[in-house]
């Protein structure tokens, strides 16, 4: 399914890189796009190259949703990260 003009859209700045999340996305797709530097496997050549760097905690990583700005935890396996994924998923997939 492709995103259209009425699709939800969430933006962010993660590890110095602008990211855009267009709905609908699964929770795994959201994790892969937000924590792209931790995920191996598919992606563009640039994303695969970017994954080889160490996490840089010197800058704040943020996601901007309708509810405001949310800091992205450095570890995708934390409860705070799961809450962020759930919130982003609900916003990108309002029909369930």
């Amino acid at each position: 399914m492709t995103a259209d003009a009425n699709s939800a859209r969430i933006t962010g700045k993660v590890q110095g890189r602008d990211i855009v999340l267009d709905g609908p996305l699964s929770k795994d797709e959201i994790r892969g796009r937000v924590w792209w530097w931790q995920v191996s496997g598919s992606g563009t050549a640039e994303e695969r190259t970017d994954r080889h760097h160490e996490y840089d905690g010197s800058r704040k990583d943020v996601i901007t949703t309708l509810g405001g700005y949310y800091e992205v935890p450095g570890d995708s396996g934390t409860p705070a990260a799961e809450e962020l994924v759930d919130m982003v998923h609900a916003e990108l997939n309002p029909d369930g």
Side-chain angles (χ1 to χ4, degrees), residues 71-86:
E71 191 167 343
V72 176
D75 182 350
S76 63
T78 64
E82 192 58 36
E83 289 175 20
L84 181 63
V85 168
D86 288 343

Side-chain angles (χ1 to χ4, degrees), residues 25-47:
L25 292 173
S26 72
K27 289 182 180 184
D28 286 338
E29 289 171 320
I30 294 166
R31 278 185 208 92
R33 291 192 189 176
V34 174
W35 288 277
W36 52 269
W37 73 92
Q38 293 180 352
V39 180
S40 63
S42 65
T44 67
E46 179 184 357
E47 288 170 335

Side-chain angles (χ1 to χ4, degrees), residues 6-28:
N6 296 322
S7 293
R9 180 180 177 153
I10 294 175
T11 60
K13 185 103 174 157
V14 179
Q15 293 291 289
R17 190 169 148 235
D18 293 325
I19 63 169
V20 176
L21 305 169
D22 289 319
L25 292 173
S26 72
K27 289 182 180 184
D28 286 338

